[in-house]
Structure formats: structure tokens, C-alpha cells
Amino acid sequence: MNTRLKRGVAGWLIASLLFTGNALTGTASAASSAIQILMNNSFADTDVVPYITNGTTMVPLQLAQKIPGSSIQWNNASKTVTLTRDGQTVTLVAGQRTAKIGNQEVKLEAASAIRKGRVMVPLRFMAESTGAYVLWNPKQRIVFVASKPSEELKQQLASSHLAEARTAALKLPRVSALEQFEVGGVEGGNFDYYFPEGRADKFFLSGGNSISYYEIVGDHSEVKWTATFDWKGKAASGLFFLPYQITNQDGTLPKLTGRVVFYHYMGHIGESGYGFIELDGKKTTLGMKGMESEVFFEIPGEVKS
């Protein structure tokens, strides 16, 4: 893949996935009544529409088979789904409201069923049986599935090198229980990343007229606050590095006690401006450096927390 095409693909991926809380533009609609599945930051296609019964989201078996970390098989003769993970076996039979984890029987909120020739299984039960985290967002009608990261990614996240830890943090699955707002201005391929100085486990992502704040919780990152803003007029937003009027917001605005570092990524040239922003809003740009999408580098003079 040539450099220009790589940058174009990277920009599109950021625009569609970067702001899980409010900017899944072109992919999800706040007005849509259809249930969508976001698995490890990618929307899953299904030939049978997921549905909710007894508070449980039912999905086609082939979608559950895509959840990393397990092996899931269907026996058509016995109408049995078998999930194997780390030597443990989980079985459920179509039409039955119980399943077995090893030899222990557990009750299901909804039984597996056959719909339009497809085996439909309870997503939460199947995903959590693989160790994945599942979150239903009724505001967006999206089910977020976050599988456990690899040991390699966990080690990178725990690295003493901030650039490596931040790169790993952006690779984690992202989930949101917040609203989704209409976003504009992301076509240019410019995006901003803000980290509290010395931290990799908390960050802001901004593009167009949108910004979202994330915190790492367990093996995934969660949107804690999300907003859109009007960059045409100056106003207090509550964030010292964002001097614009907030037009929509959901969640809890974080309180920052120290300066932030920033990466201003320009996808069309594959470079990023970088530097510091002080509590009084003073911005110091230290330079420009080549940067791949969401692959960070060390910022000179930064003090690790």
C-alpha cells in the first residue's frame, strides 16, 4: 500500500472510530432503531438483524464466533453450541433457557433460537464466557464488545516509555454509555490528542468540532465525557486548552490540575505538531515530527507521573 493510500485509510479509520462517544459518523445514526454491534472498535456486519428479548441482545452465531479468545462450534444434529476457552467448555442448546459451564448448569435470560435459518445466541453470555466486556448503550442502540487484550499489548500499556504506553492505550477497545452527537469538519484528516502530562491512562481525542475524554478501566477504555463545540467563537468550555463554546455534551467534565501534552496529527502529510499547554492556556509548540496514525513518540521535557 503506498504512503498516500495509507494516510487516507488511516484518516478514514480515525474519523469513523476515534470518537466512540459521539462521532461514529457515516456508520451509526442516533435516530436509527436498529441494534448495532461494535466489536473491538469495528462494526460487525450480520445477515440477520440482532434483536432484544427479555433484555438480552441476540446475535447470529457467526458473529459470536468472531469474538477473540475462544472457539465456538455448532452441532446441527443436536442443535448445540459449544464454546471452548482455556480448557473450559460452555454448552447451550437451541430452545433451552439453561446452559452448562463445565458441569455447572446456569440459567439464561433468553434461549438460543433459529431465525431465518440462522442460529441466534445471547451475545452477553457468549462474550462474557470468553472473558470479554459487554456494554449496552441504549442512547446509541449499540452493544460494545471489548475482548481481553493480548499479553503483549498489556506489557506495552505498562511500559515505562510513555510513547509505547500511549500507543497501546489507543489500541484498546473503546466503549461508551453516553450520547452520540452529529459531528462536522472531520474530512480534513487533522486530529488532536491530549494527555495529562506524564499519563497514558487518560486522554482526549478531538477532530472537527468534536472532543471526547477517555479513561482506561480494566482492559478497555471508556468515554467519560463527550462534546461538540463551536470553534468560530471564543468562550469558556471548562477545559483550559479548548477555548470554544460547548454546543452539546454528555458525561462528567474532568478536572485537570496540571498541563497537558498535545499531538496535532495531520493525516495528509503524516506528521504531528507537538508540545505543551499550560493551565493558563499558553501553548508551546516544540516542533513537527513524522507520525503514523495513533503511534506516538516521546515529547522532550515531559515529566512522567
mmCIF file of all heavy atoms in Angstrom, residues 13-63:
data_model
loop_
_atom_site.group_PDB
_atom_site.id
_atom_site.type_symbol
_atom_site.label_atom_id
_atom_site.label_comp_id
_atom_site.label_asym_id
_atom_site.label_seq_id
_atom_site.Cartn_x
_atom_site.Cartn_y
_atom_site.Cartn_z
ATOM 1 N N LEU A 13 -10.246 5.718 9.130
ATOM 2 C CA LEU A 13 -10.455 4.912 10.326
ATOM 3 C C LEU A 13 -10.593 5.782 11.562
ATOM 4 O O LEU A 13 -11.448 5.539 12.409
ATOM 5 C CB LEU A 13 -9.286 3.937 10.507
ATOM 6 C CG LEU A 13 -9.246 2.751 9.541
ATOM 7 C CD1 LEU A 13 -7.943 1.989 9.716
ATOM 8 C CD2 LEU A 13 -10.427 1.838 9.747
ATOM 9 N N ILE A 14 -9.751 6.812 11.662
ATOM 10 C CA ILE A 14 -9.851 7.697 12.822
ATOM 11 C C ILE A 14 -11.188 8.408 12.807
ATOM 12 O O ILE A 14 -11.871 8.506 13.821
ATOM 13 C CB ILE A 14 -8.706 8.723 12.838
ATOM 14 C CG1 ILE A 14 -7.361 8.010 12.991
ATOM 15 C CG2 ILE A 14 -8.870 9.698 13.990
ATOM 16 C CD1 ILE A 14 -6.168 8.924 12.886
ATOM 17 N N ALA A 15 -11.589 8.905 11.645
ATOM 18 C CA ALA A 15 -12.847 9.648 11.558
ATOM 19 C C ALA A 15 -14.035 8.792 11.946
ATOM 20 O O ALA A 15 -14.992 9.272 12.561
ATOM 21 C CB ALA A 15 -13.043 10.173 10.133
ATOM 22 N N SER A 16 -13.993 7.500 11.629
ATOM 23 C CA SER A 16 -15.145 6.646 11.910
ATOM 24 C C SER A 16 -15.093 5.995 13.282
ATOM 25 O O SER A 16 -16.123 5.618 13.823
ATOM 26 C CB SER A 16 -15.257 5.550 10.837
ATOM 27 O OG SER A 16 -14.101 4.750 10.827
ATOM 28 N N LEU A 17 -13.884 5.854 13.855
ATOM 29 C CA LEU A 17 -13.755 5.117 15.103
ATOM 30 C C LEU A 17 -13.220 5.932 16.267
ATOM 31 O O LEU A 17 -13.391 5.544 17.419
ATOM 32 C CB LEU A 17 -12.811 3.916 14.911
ATOM 33 C CG LEU A 17 -13.289 2.844 13.944
ATOM 34 C CD1 LEU A 17 -12.213 1.791 13.801
ATOM 35 C CD2 LEU A 17 -14.577 2.211 14.413
ATOM 36 N N LEU A 18 -12.562 7.054 15.995
ATOM 37 C CA LEU A 18 -11.836 7.766 17.041
ATOM 38 C C LEU A 18 -12.727 8.199 18.177
ATOM 39 O O LEU A 18 -12.398 8.063 19.339
ATOM 40 C CB LEU A 18 -11.149 8.981 16.431
ATOM 41 C CG LEU A 18 -10.198 9.765 17.323
ATOM 42 C CD1 LEU A 18 -9.102 8.875 17.865
ATOM 43 C CD2 LEU A 18 -9.611 10.935 16.578
ATOM 44 N N PHE A 19 -13.905 8.705 17.873
ATOM 45 C CA PHE A 19 -14.765 9.275 18.898
ATOM 46 C C PHE A 19 -15.926 8.344 19.164
ATOM 47 O O PHE A 19 -17.056 8.609 18.801
ATOM 48 C CB PHE A 19 -15.254 10.649 18.466
ATOM 49 C CG PHE A 19 -14.170 11.434 17.793
ATOM 50 C CD1 PHE A 19 -14.179 11.619 16.440
ATOM 51 C CD2 PHE A 19 -13.119 11.928 18.532
ATOM 52 C CE1 PHE A 19 -13.157 12.296 15.817
ATOM 53 C CE2 PHE A 19 -12.093 12.615 17.919
ATOM 54 C CZ PHE A 19 -12.113 12.802 16.553
ATOM 55 N N THR A 20 -15.633 7.233 19.793
ATOM 56 C CA THR A 20 -16.665 6.239 20.063
ATOM 57 C C THR A 20 -17.877 6.865 20.734
ATOM 58 O O THR A 20 -19.005 6.442 20.526
ATOM 59 C CB THR A 20 -16.100 5.131 20.959
ATOM 60 O OG1 THR A 20 -14.943 4.578 20.329
ATOM 61 C CG2 THR A 20 -17.117 4.057 21.203
ATOM 62 N N GLY A 21 -17.666 7.898 21.519
ATOM 63 C CA GLY A 21 -18.772 8.521 22.238
ATOM 64 C C GLY A 21 -19.671 9.355 21.378
ATOM 65 O O GLY A 21 -20.862 9.472 21.645
ATOM 66 N N ASN A 22 -19.150 9.978 20.299
ATOM 67 C CA ASN A 22 -20.010 10.925 19.599
ATOM 68 C C ASN A 22 -19.717 11.117 18.134
ATOM 69 O O ASN A 22 -20.302 11.988 17.514
ATOM 70 C CB ASN A 22 -19.931 12.299 20.282
ATOM 71 C CG ASN A 22 -18.536 12.888 20.241
ATOM 72 O OD1 ASN A 22 -17.652 12.351 19.599
ATOM 73 N ND2 ASN A 22 -18.359 13.997 20.918
ATOM 74 N N ALA A 23 -18.847 10.350 17.544
ATOM 75 C CA ALA A 23 -18.514 10.660 16.162
ATOM 76 C C ALA A 23 -18.364 9.440 15.290
ATOM 77 O O ALA A 23 -17.457 9.344 14.492
ATOM 78 C CB ALA A 23 -17.242 11.490 16.101
ATOM 79 N N LEU A 24 -19.243 8.467 15.416
ATOM 80 C CA LEU A 24 -19.229 7.338 14.515
ATOM 81 C C LEU A 24 -19.947 7.756 13.241
ATOM 82 O O LEU A 24 -20.922 7.155 12.807
ATOM 83 C CB LEU A 24 -19.896 6.127 15.178
ATOM 84 C CG LEU A 24 -19.129 5.634 16.398
ATOM 85 C CD1 LEU A 24 -19.992 4.719 17.236
ATOM 86 C CD2 LEU A 24 -17.861 4.937 15.989
ATOM 87 N N THR A 25 -19.448 8.784 12.630
ATOM 88 C CA THR A 25 -20.122 9.411 11.504
ATOM 89 C C THR A 25 -20.113 8.499 10.293
ATOM 90 O O THR A 25 -19.132 7.850 9.985
ATOM 91 C CB THR A 25 -19.436 10.732 11.139
ATOM 92 O OG1 THR A 25 -18.049 10.457 10.941
ATOM 93 C CG2 THR A 25 -19.593 11.749 12.237
ATOM 94 N N GLY A 26 -21.238 8.487 9.594
ATOM 95 C CA GLY A 26 -21.346 7.702 8.393
ATOM 96 C C GLY A 26 -21.555 6.225 8.663
ATOM 97 O O GLY A 26 -21.713 5.440 7.747
ATOM 98 N N THR A 27 -21.525 5.805 9.924
ATOM 99 C CA THR A 27 -21.663 4.394 10.252
ATOM 100 C C THR A 27 -22.845 4.136 11.154
ATOM 101 O O THR A 27 -23.579 3.182 10.978
ATOM 102 C CB THR A 27 -20.379 3.892 10.943
ATOM 103 O OG1 THR A 27 -19.248 4.336 10.199
ATOM 104 C CG2 THR A 27 -20.374 2.395 11.037
ATOM 105 N N ALA A 28 -23.028 4.984 12.136
ATOM 106 C CA ALA A 28 -24.153 4.821 13.053
ATOM 107 C C ALA A 28 -24.962 6.094 13.084
ATOM 108 O O ALA A 28 -24.437 7.182 12.982
ATOM 109 C CB ALA A 28 -23.644 4.501 14.454
ATOM 110 N N SER A 29 -26.258 5.972 13.233
ATOM 111 C CA SER A 29 -27.134 7.134 13.297
ATOM 112 C C SER A 29 -27.868 7.136 14.611
ATOM 113 O O SER A 29 -28.415 6.113 15.038
ATOM 114 C CB SER A 29 -28.149 7.096 12.146
ATOM 115 O OG SER A 29 -29.147 8.065 12.348
ATOM 116 N N ALA A 30 -27.880 8.300 15.272
ATOM 117 C CA ALA A 30 -28.559 8.391 16.567
ATOM 118 C C ALA A 30 -30.044 8.129 16.437
ATOM 119 O O ALA A 30 -30.700 7.724 17.389
ATOM 120 C CB ALA A 30 -28.305 9.769 17.176
ATOM 121 N N ALA A 31 -30.580 8.367 15.232
ATOM 122 C CA ALA A 31 -32.013 8.196 15.029
ATOM 123 C C ALA A 31 -32.375 6.764 14.629
ATOM 124 O O ALA A 31 -33.538 6.405 14.555
ATOM 125 C CB ALA A 31 -32.495 9.169 13.961
ATOM 126 N N SER A 32 -31.351 5.945 14.357
ATOM 127 C CA SER A 32 -31.613 4.592 13.888
ATOM 128 C C SER A 32 -32.170 3.734 15.020
ATOM 129 O O SER A 32 -31.742 3.823 16.157
ATOM 130 C CB SER A 32 -30.319 3.970 13.355
ATOM 131 O OG SER A 32 -30.521 2.614 13.041
ATOM 132 N N SER A 33 -33.132 2.868 14.681
ATOM 133 C CA SER A 33 -33.704 1.974 15.685
ATOM 134 C C SER A 33 -33.029 0.611 15.651
ATOM 135 O O SER A 33 -33.263 -0.217 16.525
ATOM 136 C CB SER A 33 -35.211 1.806 15.443
ATOM 137 O OG SER A 33 -35.442 1.246 14.163
ATOM 138 N N ALA A 34 -32.185 0.367 14.643
ATOM 139 C CA ALA A 34 -31.511 -0.917 14.528
ATOM 140 C C ALA A 34 -30.430 -1.046 15.594
ATOM 141 O O ALA A 34 -29.772 -0.076 15.946
ATOM 142 C CB ALA A 34 -30.895 -1.071 13.141
ATOM 143 N N ILE A 35 -30.263 -2.247 16.102
ATOM 144 C CA ILE A 35 -29.204 -2.522 17.060
ATOM 145 C C ILE A 35 -27.921 -2.803 16.295
ATOM 146 O O ILE A 35 -27.912 -3.578 15.329
ATOM 147 C CB ILE A 35 -29.561 -3.722 17.939
ATOM 148 C CG1 ILE A 35 -30.803 -3.416 18.771
ATOM 149 C CG2 ILE A 35 -28.399 -4.111 18.855
ATOM 150 C CD1 ILE A 35 -31.358 -4.621 19.488
ATOM 151 N N GLN A 36 -26.842 -2.149 16.700
ATOM 152 C CA GLN A 36 -25.550 -2.379 16.062
ATOM 153 C C GLN A 36 -24.573 -2.945 17.082
ATOM 154 O O GLN A 36 -24.685 -2.691 18.281
ATOM 155 C CB GLN A 36 -25.017 -1.086 15.458
ATOM 156 C CG GLN A 36 -25.945 -0.519 14.381
ATOM 157 C CD GLN A 36 -25.329 0.657 13.674
ATOM 158 O OE1 GLN A 36 -24.483 0.511 12.809
ATOM 159 N NE2 GLN A 36 -25.757 1.848 14.045
ATOM 160 N N ILE A 37 -23.612 -3.710 16.574
ATOM 161 C CA ILE A 37 -22.607 -4.345 17.417
ATOM 162 C C ILE A 37 -21.249 -3.755 17.072
ATOM 163 O O ILE A 37 -20.825 -3.806 15.914
ATOM 164 C CB ILE A 37 -22.562 -5.875 17.205
ATOM 165 C CG1 ILE A 37 -23.992 -6.478 17.241
ATOM 166 C CG2 ILE A 37 -21.662 -6.519 18.244
ATOM 167 C CD1 ILE A 37 -24.704 -6.319 18.550
ATOM 168 N N LEU A 38 -20.601 -3.162 18.065
ATOM 169 C CA LEU A 38 -19.257 -2.620 17.875
ATOM 170 C C LEU A 38 -18.294 -3.527 18.629
ATOM 171 O O LEU A 38 -18.251 -3.517 19.858
ATOM 172 C CB LEU A 38 -19.157 -1.187 18.388
ATOM 173 C CG LEU A 38 -17.914 -0.415 17.951
ATOM 174 C CD1 LEU A 38 -17.945 -0.153 16.447
ATOM 175 C CD2 LEU A 38 -17.791 0.908 18.685
ATOM 176 N N MET A 39 -17.558 -4.317 17.887
ATOM 177 C CA MET A 39 -16.675 -5.312 18.470
ATOM 178 C C MET A 39 -15.224 -4.886 18.291
ATOM 179 O O MET A 39 -14.732 -4.801 17.158
ATOM 180 C CB MET A 39 -16.927 -6.671 17.810
ATOM 181 C CG MET A 39 -16.219 -7.843 18.479
ATOM 182 S SD MET A 39 -16.625 -9.427 17.681
ATOM 183 C CE MET A 39 -18.384 -9.538 18.006
ATOM 184 N N ASN A 40 -14.553 -4.582 19.394
ATOM 185 C CA ASN A 40 -13.161 -4.135 19.338
ATOM 186 C C ASN A 40 -12.979 -2.985 18.347
ATOM 187 O O ASN A 40 -12.091 -2.997 17.491
ATOM 188 C CB ASN A 40 -12.222 -5.289 18.994
ATOM 189 C CG ASN A 40 -12.085 -6.267 20.131
ATOM 190 O OD1 ASN A 40 -12.592 -6.044 21.234
ATOM 191 N ND2 ASN A 40 -11.409 -7.374 19.896
ATOM 192 N N ASN A 41 -13.866 -1.985 18.469
ATOM 193 C CA ASN A 41 -13.796 -0.736 17.700
ATOM 194 C C ASN A 41 -14.202 -0.872 16.237
ATOM 195 O O ASN A 41 -14.042 0.071 15.457
ATOM 196 C CB ASN A 41 -12.394 -0.104 17.763
ATOM 197 C CG ASN A 41 -11.959 0.210 19.176
ATOM 198 O OD1 ASN A 41 -12.793 0.388 20.067
ATOM 199 N ND2 ASN A 41 -10.659 0.278 19.398
ATOM 200 N N SER A 42 -14.726 -2.022 15.838
ATOM 201 C CA SER A 42 -15.183 -2.209 14.453
ATOM 202 C C SER A 42 -16.631 -2.687 14.457
ATOM 203 O O SER A 42 -16.992 -3.595 15.225
ATOM 204 C CB SER A 42 -14.312 -3.234 13.722
ATOM 205 O OG SER A 42 -12.987 -2.772 13.592
ATOM 206 N N PHE A 43 -17.444 -2.088 13.603
ATOM 207 C CA PHE A 43 -18.823 -2.528 13.499
ATOM 208 C C PHE A 43 -18.887 -3.889 12.827
ATOM 209 O O PHE A 43 -18.179 -4.149 11.847
ATOM 210 C CB PHE A 43 -19.661 -1.523 12.705
ATOM 211 C CG PHE A 43 -20.093 -0.338 13.514
ATOM 212 C CD1 PHE A 43 -19.443 0.883 13.382
ATOM 213 C CD2 PHE A 43 -21.132 -0.429 14.417
ATOM 214 C CE1 PHE A 43 -19.821 1.979 14.132
ATOM 215 C CE2 PHE A 43 -21.522 0.661 15.183
ATOM 216 C CZ PHE A 43 -20.873 1.868 15.032
ATOM 217 N N ALA A 44 -19.724 -4.761 13.363
ATOM 218 C CA ALA A 44 -19.873 -6.118 12.844
ATOM 219 C C ALA A 44 -21.076 -6.185 11.912
ATOM 220 O O ALA A 44 -22.163 -5.709 12.255
ATOM 221 C CB ALA A 44 -20.041 -7.106 13.989
ATOM 222 N N ASP A 45 -20.871 -6.775 10.754
ATOM 223 C CA ASP A 45 -21.966 -6.979 9.798
ATOM 224 C C ASP A 45 -22.662 -8.295 10.106
ATOM 225 O O ASP A 45 -22.023 -9.306 10.405
ATOM 226 C CB ASP A 45 -21.436 -7.011 8.365
ATOM 227 C CG ASP A 45 -20.901 -5.670 7.918
ATOM 228 O OD1 ASP A 45 -21.458 -4.644 8.350
ATOM 229 O OD2 ASP A 45 -19.923 -5.641 7.146
ATOM 230 N N THR A 46 -24.002 -8.295 10.047
ATOM 231 C CA THR A 46 -24.770 -9.513 10.275
ATOM 232 C C THR A 46 -25.816 -9.650 9.176
ATOM 233 O O THR A 46 -26.386 -8.661 8.721
ATOM 234 C CB THR A 46 -25.488 -9.489 11.636
ATOM 235 O OG1 THR A 46 -26.379 -8.365 11.685
ATOM 236 C CG2 THR A 46 -24.485 -9.355 12.775
ATOM 237 N N ASP A 47 -26.056 -10.884 8.743
ATOM 238 C CA ASP A 47 -27.072 -11.095 7.712
ATOM 239 C C ASP A 47 -28.469 -11.211 8.317
ATOM 240 O O ASP A 47 -29.466 -11.162 7.596
ATOM 241 C CB ASP A 47 -26.749 -12.322 6.855
ATOM 242 C CG ASP A 47 -26.520 -13.576 7.683
ATOM 243 O OD1 ASP A 47 -26.613 -13.498 8.930
ATOM 244 O OD2 ASP A 47 -26.258 -14.632 7.086
ATOM 245 N N VAL A 48 -28.537 -11.380 9.643
ATOM 246 C CA VAL A 48 -29.805 -11.350 10.365
ATOM 247 C C VAL A 48 -29.688 -10.258 11.420
ATOM 248 O O VAL A 48 -28.724 -10.236 12.186
ATOM 249 C CB VAL A 48 -30.137 -12.700 11.027
ATOM 250 C CG1 VAL A 48 -31.427 -12.604 11.822
ATOM 251 C CG2 VAL A 48 -30.237 -13.794 9.975
ATOM 252 N N VAL A 49 -30.651 -9.371 11.454
ATOM 253 C CA VAL A 49 -30.578 -8.218 12.354
ATOM 254 C C VAL A 49 -30.645 -8.663 13.813
ATOM 255 O O VAL A 49 -31.529 -9.446 14.185
ATOM 256 C CB VAL A 49 -31.729 -7.240 12.057
ATOM 257 C CG1 VAL A 49 -31.696 -6.057 13.025
ATOM 258 C CG2 VAL A 49 -31.629 -6.734 10.613
ATOM 259 N N PRO A 50 -29.714 -8.206 14.660
ATOM 260 C CA PRO A 50 -29.795 -8.511 16.087
ATOM 261 C C PRO A 50 -31.099 -7.981 16.684
ATOM 262 O O PRO A 50 -31.644 -6.983 16.216
ATOM 263 C CB PRO A 50 -28.586 -7.770 16.675
ATOM 264 C CG PRO A 50 -27.634 -7.611 15.536
ATOM 265 C CD PRO A 50 -28.504 -7.416 14.327
ATOM 266 N N TYR A 51 -31.571 -8.637 17.729
ATOM 267 C CA TYR A 51 -32.800 -8.192 18.381
ATOM 268 C C TYR A 51 -32.673 -8.413 19.882
ATOM 269 O O TYR A 51 -31.777 -9.124 20.343
ATOM 270 C CB TYR A 51 -34.015 -8.946 17.825
ATOM 271 C CG TYR A 51 -33.997 -10.440 18.044
ATOM 272 C CD1 TYR A 51 -34.597 -11.018 19.163
ATOM 273 C CD2 TYR A 51 -33.389 -11.292 17.106
ATOM 274 C CE1 TYR A 51 -34.577 -12.393 19.361
ATOM 275 C CE2 TYR A 51 -33.371 -12.662 17.297
ATOM 276 C CZ TYR A 51 -33.965 -13.213 18.429
ATOM 277 O OH TYR A 51 -33.942 -14.568 18.623
ATOM 278 N N ILE A 52 -33.564 -7.780 20.633
ATOM 279 C CA ILE A 52 -33.551 -7.903 22.085
ATOM 280 C C ILE A 52 -34.768 -8.685 22.550
ATOM 281 O O ILE A 52 -35.896 -8.404 22.123
ATOM 282 C CB ILE A 52 -33.538 -6.517 22.764
ATOM 283 C CG1 ILE A 52 -32.234 -5.778 22.440
ATOM 284 C CG2 ILE A 52 -33.697 -6.639 24.284
ATOM 285 C CD1 ILE A 52 -32.168 -4.383 23.018
ATOM 286 N N THR A 53 -34.541 -9.663 23.396
ATOM 287 C CA THR A 53 -35.631 -10.412 24.005
ATOM 288 C C THR A 53 -35.291 -10.636 25.477
ATOM 289 O O THR A 53 -34.158 -11.017 25.806
ATOM 290 C CB THR A 53 -35.859 -11.771 23.297
ATOM 291 O OG1 THR A 53 -36.931 -12.463 23.940
ATOM 292 C CG2 THR A 53 -34.625 -12.640 23.309
ATOM 293 N N ASN A 54 -36.237 -10.326 26.348
ATOM 294 C CA ASN A 54 -36.018 -10.441 27.798
ATOM 295 C C ASN A 54 -34.770 -9.673 28.247
ATOM 296 O O ASN A 54 -34.033 -10.115 29.130
ATOM 297 C CB ASN A 54 -35.895 -11.910 28.218
ATOM 298 C CG ASN A 54 -37.192 -12.675 28.021
ATOM 299 O OD1 ASN A 54 -38.281 -12.120 28.110
ATOM 300 N ND2 ASN A 54 -37.075 -13.960 27.730
ATOM 301 N N GLY A 55 -34.535 -8.538 27.589
ATOM 302 C CA GLY A 55 -33.398 -7.711 27.964
ATOM 303 C C GLY A 55 -32.061 -8.219 27.474
ATOM 304 O O GLY A 55 -31.016 -7.686 27.851
ATOM 305 N N THR A 56 -32.079 -9.237 26.620
ATOM 306 C CA THR A 56 -30.853 -9.846 26.109
ATOM 307 C C THR A 56 -30.741 -9.631 24.608
ATOM 308 O O THR A 56 -31.692 -9.882 23.865
ATOM 309 C CB THR A 56 -30.827 -11.357 26.415
ATOM 310 O OG1 THR A 56 -30.835 -11.544 27.824
ATOM 311 C CG2 THR A 56 -29.600 -12.020 25.822
ATOM 312 N N THR A 57 -29.577 -9.174 24.159
ATOM 313 C CA THR A 57 -29.346 -8.994 22.723
ATOM 314 C C THR A 57 -28.977 -10.328 22.099
ATOM 315 O O THR A 57 -28.025 -10.989 22.521
ATOM 316 C CB THR A 57 -28.209 -7.983 22.475
ATOM 317 O OG1 THR A 57 -28.532 -6.748 23.105
ATOM 318 C CG2 THR A 57 -28.012 -7.753 20.988
ATOM 319 N N MET A 58 -29.731 -10.713 21.086
ATOM 320 C CA MET A 58 -29.499 -11.969 20.375
ATOM 321 C C MET A 58 -28.818 -11.667 19.044
ATOM 322 O O MET A 58 -29.242 -10.776 18.305
ATOM 323 C CB MET A 58 -30.814 -12.699 20.140
ATOM 324 C CG MET A 58 -31.646 -12.932 21.395
ATOM 325 S SD MET A 58 -30.857 -14.064 22.568
ATOM 326 C CE MET A 58 -30.999 -15.626 21.678
ATOM 327 N N VAL A 59 -27.759 -12.414 18.744
ATOM 328 C CA VAL A 59 -26.999 -12.189 17.515
ATOM 329 C C VAL A 59 -26.776 -13.523 16.809
ATOM 330 O O VAL A 59 -26.815 -14.585 17.442
ATOM 331 C CB VAL A 59 -25.640 -11.527 17.816
ATOM 332 C CG1 VAL A 59 -25.822 -10.181 18.493
ATOM 333 C CG2 VAL A 59 -24.754 -12.447 18.665
ATOM 334 N N PRO A 60 -26.518 -13.481 15.491
ATOM 335 C CA PRO A 60 -26.205 -14.728 14.787
ATOM 336 C C PRO A 60 -24.941 -15.374 15.329
ATOM 337 O O PRO A 60 -24.007 -14.691 15.737
ATOM 338 C CB PRO A 60 -26.005 -14.266 13.328
ATOM 339 C CG PRO A 60 -26.699 -12.953 13.226
ATOM 340 C CD PRO A 60 -26.568 -12.321 14.583
ATOM 341 N N LEU A 61 -24.911 -16.689 15.317
ATOM 342 C CA LEU A 61 -23.775 -17.431 15.860
ATOM 343 C C LEU A 61 -22.471 -17.026 15.183
ATOM 344 O O LEU A 61 -21.433 -16.943 15.845
ATOM 345 C CB LEU A 61 -24.004 -18.943 15.685
ATOM 346 C CG LEU A 61 -22.869 -19.856 16.150
ATOM 347 C CD1 LEU A 61 -22.639 -19.707 17.645
ATOM 348 C CD2 LEU A 61 -23.175 -21.314 15.793
ATOM 349 N N GLN A 62 -22.500 -16.771 13.865
ATOM 350 C CA GLN A 62 -21.247 -16.448 13.186
ATOM 351 C C GLN A 62 -20.618 -15.167 13.705
ATOM 352 O O GLN A 62 -19.408 -14.977 13.629
ATOM 353 C CB GLN A 62 -21.433 -16.364 11.665
ATOM 354 C CG GLN A 62 -22.286 -15.212 11.163
ATOM 355 C CD GLN A 62 -23.717 -15.644 10.929
ATOM 356 O OE1 GLN A 62 -24.234 -16.517 11.645
ATOM 357 N NE2 GLN A 62 -24.368 -15.061 9.921
ATOM 358 N N LEU A 63 -21.444 -14.277 14.274
ATOM 359 C CA LEU A 63 -20.883 -13.065 14.871
ATOM 360 C C LEU A 63 -20.190 -13.416 16.184
ATOM 361 O O LEU A 63 -19.088 -12.947 16.465
ATOM 362 C CB LEU A 63 -21.970 -12.022 15.100
ATOM 363 C CG LEU A 63 -21.500 -10.629 15.530
ATOM 364 C CD1 LEU A 63 -22.472 -9.563 15.038
ATOM 365 C CD2 LEU A 63 -21.365 -10.516 17.035
#
